[in-house]
Amino acid sequence: AQSVTQLGSHVSVSEGALVLLRCNYSSSVPPYLFWYVQYPNQGLQLLLKYTSAATLVKGINGFEAEFKKSETSFHLTKPSAHMSDAAEYFCAVRPGNSGGYQKVTFGTGTKLQVIP
Amino acid sequence: NAGVTQTPKFQVLKTGQSMTLQCAQDMNHNSMYWYRQDPGMGLRLIYYSASEGTTDKGEVPNGYNVSRLNKREFSLRLESAAPSQTSVYFCASSEQGQGSHEQYFGPGTRLTVT
């Protein structure tokens, strides 16, 4: 069984401030972890993913996330928020190291507001 | 490449009407998925097709049917629409098997049932 918890359905930051979006997961096997971004009226697109190659993962648009096994966390950060970062962000988990169909579980999303 | 395409983009139905949402991908992916997105509930899997010729129920399949027409196309049908099916529907596709295969999403269909 697996699950994802995103703390905070809405987060507001000032332009130029640090962005921190929290994600905690549970998985019975080593997981693959993903962050997706959804801009208004669009589909989801991949920001970054953790595949066990490195615990600090860099993604597009200056975002990065760190896998912390001891804390079962995969928080998303960006040093300096830009107005264009305003969107909804989804964390997702999938069982790793296995073939065939493996279910992806999505969190409920965090809407990021950037205040000028 | 167009990626994942969905038609229509918007649809309004009356209760009891039927419709089919179309999805196609040009990435030669084996697996395809249908999700619905409702405020505060994230994405919920309706049906998936792990490979051409197979389909399976997800978390919320009631009231829906699917057809994997070929490797490229995966349609979702509402036989008798209900107001509870008002939602945004996303189709996605991915590779299958070993590896961290992320999903690629279409732009969505916004469905309102009155």
Side-chain angles (χ1 to χ4, degrees), chain B residues 68-112:
Chain B
R68 184 74 182 266
L69 305 169
N70 48 54
K71 192 171 185 180
R72 289 187 64 248
E73 298 172 288
F74 188 38
S75 63
L76 178 72
R77 183 161 178 82
L78 287 70
E79 291 291 353
S80 179
S84 60
Q85 294 178 306
T86 293
S87 187
V88 182
Y89 292 85
F90 289 100
C91 178
S93 70
S94 73
E95 284 293 355
Q96 190 196 51
Q98 293 282 355
S100 59
H101 303 304
E102 66 266 30
Q103 296 185 6
Y104 294 79
F105 286 81
T109 294
R110 284 150 183 81
L111 175 67
T112 301

Side-chain angles (χ1 to χ4, degrees), chain A residues 31-97:
Chain A
Y32 293 133
L33 292 159
F34 308 85
W35 275 102
Y36 288 86
V37 60
Q38 183 181 30
Y39 298 104
N41 300 316
Q42 295 186 26
L44 280 70
Q45 62 184 82
L46 184 71
L47 261 184
L48 50 80
K49 63 181 180 182
Y50 166 74
T51 63
S52 78
T55 56
L56 183 62
V57 181
K58 294 188 185 300
I60 61 172
N61 301 337
F63 284 93
E64 62 182 36
E66 186 172 9
F67 173 71
K68 292 188 177 181
K69 184 178 178 181
S70 61
E71 298 177 9
T72 60
S73 69
F74 190 56
H75 301 332
L76 183 70
T77 60
K78 182 174 180 178
S80 177
H82 192 272
M83 295 300 294
S84 61
D85 295 327
E88 189 160 19
Y89 294 80
F90 292 90
C91 183
V93 62
R94 174 183 180 267
N97 299 326

Side-chain angles (χ1 to χ4, degrees), chain B residues 11-101:
Chain B
Q11 184 71 49
V12 179
L13 291 178
K14 294 186 190 308
T15 298
Q17 288 184 318
S18 62
M19 78 162 295
T20 299
L21 282 64
Q22 306 286 355
C23 174
Q25 52 93 8
D26 62 2
M27 294 172 282
N28 203 36
H29 286 161
N30 285 306
S31 301
M32 298 186 73
Y33 315 84
W34 276 106
Y35 293 91
R36 59 177 289 172
Q37 183 180 30
D38 302 291
M41 303 191 74
L43 276 78
R44 292 183 291 169
L45 184 65
I46 305 171
Y47 271 92
Y48 68 96
S49 171
S51 60
E52 187 179 357
T54 69
T55 60
D56 285 286
K57 295 178 180 179
E59 303 168 61
V60 289
N62 291 347
Y64 305 96
N65 284 301
V66 290
S67 295
R68 184 74 182 266
L69 305 169
N70 48 54
K71 192 171 185 180
R72 289 187 64 248
E73 298 172 288
F74 188 38
S75 63
L76 178 72
R77 183 161 178 82
L78 287 70
E79 291 291 353
S80 179
S84 60
Q85 294 178 306
T86 293
S87 187
V88 182
Y89 292 85
F90 289 100
C91 178
S93 70
S94 73
E95 284 293 355
Q96 190 196 51
Q98 293 282 355
S100 59
H101 303 304

